[in-house]
Amino acid sequence: LGNVPQLDEVHSPAVDLIQAARSPGSLLKPMLYGLALEEGLITPSQFLVDVPVTFGQFSPANFSENFSGAVPADLALSRSLNVPFVLLLREYGIAKMHAHAKSFGCNFINKPADHYGLSLVLGGCEVSLEQISSWFLGLARQQRYYYERQGQYAPNDWKIPTLLVDQFRDPLLDLDPRPGPIGAGAGHQI
């Protein structure tokens, strides 16, 4: 428990839950979905497999403990199905997903990719609320300014935000025609 005022100092009541490392649960699924869309590995309406699977000792299951057979990718994301995303990570590549998560600022993911394995996409790693919120904020920034920037991208969109008091930064500065790992089209689908 964090920030419990009734506890005395010996029990560490002041915990910064925004910067604390914790499992992201399913919050990395949209990242994998976007990366796979951007690479052309999937389309939103493409069917993904949701059946019982086992990889050595690892047998991912859905929260509902049911399986849906063939499920469109966008529905698999909206229903947060585990098995389709484990299989998608296997096809996309654990090392690539690991590298992208780190490049997006998830710096608590600090062990080699094979340490996390396929559980990476199911929250088998640690991120902070600040780190994962920054990723979703970057996605929102990219969508918000896409037309204003005439289809160009700002590399700072994906950086952890900083508080700038009384400062205005022109959203048309430092633009790049290349989207980076996830472009506006894939971002819109997410």
Side-chain angles (χ1 to χ4, degrees), residues 130 133-135 137 141 156-164:
E130 180 181 45
S133 295
S134 294
W135 184 83
L137 179 60
R141 278 193 203 115
N156 285 337
D157 280 350
W158 300 98
K159 302 289 185 212
I160 288 181
T162 55
L163 181 61
L164 302 174

Side-chain angles (χ1 to χ4, degrees), residues 29-189:
K29 288 176 187 171
M31 186 183 295
L32 176 60
Y33 181 82
L35 291 166
L37 283 172
E38 190 66 36
E39 199 167 283
L41 191 60
I42 61 169
T43 66
S45 59
Q46 179 177 334
F47 285 101
L48 300 179
V49 177
D50 185 28
V51 297
V53 295
T54 299
F55 303 96
Q57 299 280 327
F58 180 53
S59 297
N62 297 315
F63 181 76
S64 67
E65 298 181 4
N66 295 318
F67 299 95
S68 301
V71 182
D74 59 354
L75 185 58
L77 179 63
S78 68
R79 290 178 54 200
S80 191
L81 298 177
N82 291 337
V83 174
F85 280 92
V86 167
L87 293 172
L88 182 58
L89 178 59
R90 183 173 170 222
E91 187 174 351
Y92 181 78
I94 299 166
K96 282 180 13 186
M97 173 68 181
H98 178 267
H100 282 300
K102 289 177 62 169
S103 75
F104 282 127
C106 297
N107 59 13
F108 285 124
I109 300 176
N110 54 14
K111 293 179 176 51
D114 60 352
H115 170 80
Y116 302 103
L118 293 171
S119 71
L120 176 68
V121 75
L122 303 182
C125 60
E126 291 184 326
V127 301
S128 71
L129 177 60
E130 180 181 45
Q131 292 167 359
I132 199 65
S133 295
S134 294
W135 184 83
F136 281 99
L137 179 60
L139 193 65
R141 278 193 203 115
Q142 184 175 307
Q143 297 300 305
R144 160 69 176 84
Y145 295 113
Y146 184 75
Y147 291 108
E148 190 174 329
R149 294 173 179 164
Q150 299 177 353
Q152 296 195 60
Y153 299 90
N156 285 337
D157 280 350
W158 300 98
K159 302 289 185 212
I160 288 181
T162 55
L163 181 61
L164 302 174
V165 179
D166 297 329
Q167 285 189 342
F168 172 78
R169 180 165 172 80
D170 187 341
L172 300 177
L173 288 179
D174 306 323
L175 298 180
D176 192 328
R178 297 166 297 177
I182 298 176
H188 177 75
Q189 291 299 322

Side-chain angles (χ1 to χ4, degrees), residues 1-16:
L1 296 176
N3 304 317
V4 181
Q6 302 90 314
L7 296 179
D8 58 40
E9 285 299 315
V10 174
H11 295 98
S12 304
V15 177
D16 185 346

